[in-house]
Amino acid sequence: MRKNIVAGNWKMNTTLQEGIALATSVEKWVSEHPSKVKVIVAPPFTHLSDVGKVLHHVGLSSQNCSSEVSGAYTGEVSVSMLTSVNAAYAIIGHSERRSIYGETDAILAKKVKIALQAGLTPIFCCGEILKERESNIHFDVVRKQIEEALFILTPEEFSHIIIAYEPVWAIGTGVNATPAQAQEMHQYIRKLILSKFGASLADDLSILYGGSCKPSNAHELFANPDVDGGLIGGASLKAEDFIGIIQAF
Ligand code: PGA
């Protein structure tokens, strides 16, 4: 069944102590305000174990995972390491991983597959850069990202996927996609999934919007029929703002 989800991507922010304090505040609010919205936080790797211990109503996600299972990969973090600290989700294919660290569609396809095999739920990110939108090829760009990494999955595997549409020009810029732009792309993505995996999986898929989402614009973004929640960067670093976004449903 399609879920409403608000996930906080902390990126490379917070010390361990700050992260535990932030997670504790979010956990407290969520535990006192039961709702159908699934709340997730994605702290840095170093914080996962300790942050996980304060979370009981909030899901725990990594921001990345290795494309390899184990072995001589200095500096990498494997999916089994993540599940061993009780992470349930992994953000895969964030635009910062794609653009700064050169992660290709082929690498991301591998990451999605091994994350699923380990029992993690991938939060798979896609989205176009400004030039691509201005050239009117944004639908093609997003289609290719999804086809390359997700069309290799079996329907059963795909049923565990969450997609986050994050137009790169909206990430950290303060300029969010308009509700109409978000809805248009989310609807496009759902139709694409329908053509590959059928109506039931397309209907059950949660598609999150990411890119300068904040308490002041979350409501109008989430009000769209194909926008099932948000992947939140900057505004997830303050409990008050993050909670404001959760309340937008
Ligand atoms: P932002 O980041 O909310 O700071 O724009 C979103 C993201 O990168 O996931």
Side-chain angles (χ1 to χ4, degrees):
M1 241 216 310
R2 199 191 304 184
K3 280 202 198 92
N4 290 134
I5 298 169
V6 177
N9 173 13
W10 296 359
K11 307 194 179 181
M12 197 172 74
N13 293 295
T14 72
T15 62
L16 175 61
Q17 292 71 23
E18 289 164 350
I20 291 171
L22 174 56
T24 302
S25 302
V26 173
E27 166 63 29
K28 182 172 186 296
W29 189 88
V30 172
S31 70
E32 288 167 358
H33 297 81
S35 90
K36 288 199 299 263
V37 180
K38 179 69 198 170
V39 179
I40 299 167
V41 294
F45 285 137
T46 47
H47 304 11
L48 284 170
S49 178
D50 285 343
V51 164
K53 290 184 186 124
V54 305
L55 301 180
H56 307 286
H57 303 81
V58 173
L60 183 66
S61 178
S62 67
Q63 300 173 14
N64 185 19
C65 65
S66 176
S67 57
E68 303 299 330
V69 173
S70 68
Y73 300 100
T74 302
E76 289 288 277
V77 174
S78 74
V79 289
S80 62
M81 294 172 190
L82 295 173
T83 55
S84 75
V85 293
N86 297 319
Y89 305 83
I91 297 174
I92 295 177
H94 190 279
S95 71
E96 287 147 21
R97 300 300 316 171
R98 292 176 188 263
S99 68
I100 306 171
Y101 299 100
E103 294 191 5
T104 60
D105 289 331
I107 292 172
L108 299 176
K110 263 177 102 175
K111 290 190 177 194
V112 167
K113 197 87 181 176
I114 69 163
L116 286 166
Q117 281 163 357
L120 288 166
T121 296
I123 302 174
F124 178 78
C125 302
C126 56
E128 80 286 356
I129 62 172
L130 185 60
K131 214 170 111 214
E132 292 163 340
R133 179 164 281 267
E134 286 172 351
S135 313
N136 208 27
I137 56 167
H138 46 296
F139 292 112
D140 293 340
V141 169
V142 167
R143 177 171 45 76
K144 183 165 177 293
Q145 290 171 340
I146 291 175
E147 280 176 357
E148 301 275 323
L150 303 182
F151 276 25
I152 51 160
L153 301 176
T154 64
E156 208 292 311
E157 287 172 327
F158 186 83
S159 70
H160 300 285
I161 295 285
I162 296 167
I163 290 182
Y165 168 59
E166 301 204 301
V168 181
W169 47 271
I171 296 178
T173 59
V175 182
N176 58 288
T178 65
Q181 286 171 324
Q183 168 57 23
E184 187 185 32
M185 183 60 85
H186 285 221
Q187 189 177 42
Y188 174 81
I189 292 170
R190 203 177 301 282
K191 280 194 183 143
L192 181 66
I193 298 308
L194 185 146
S195 70
K196 171 69 182 170
F197 291 107
S200 147
L201 284 181
D203 194 48
D204 285 353
L205 171 68
S206 295
I207 309 177
L208 316 184
Y209 166 78
S212 298
C213 187
K214 40 189 181 268
S216 58
N217 62 22
H219 178 73
E220 53 176 17
L221 285 161
F222 298 172
N224 290 285
D226 289 298
V227 180
D228 306 309
L231 180 55
I232 318 300
S236 71
L237 293 172
K238 273 198 192 144
E240 200 186 312
D241 289 348
F242 191 53
I243 289 163
I245 293 171
I246 302 166
Q247 286 177 300
F249 275 108

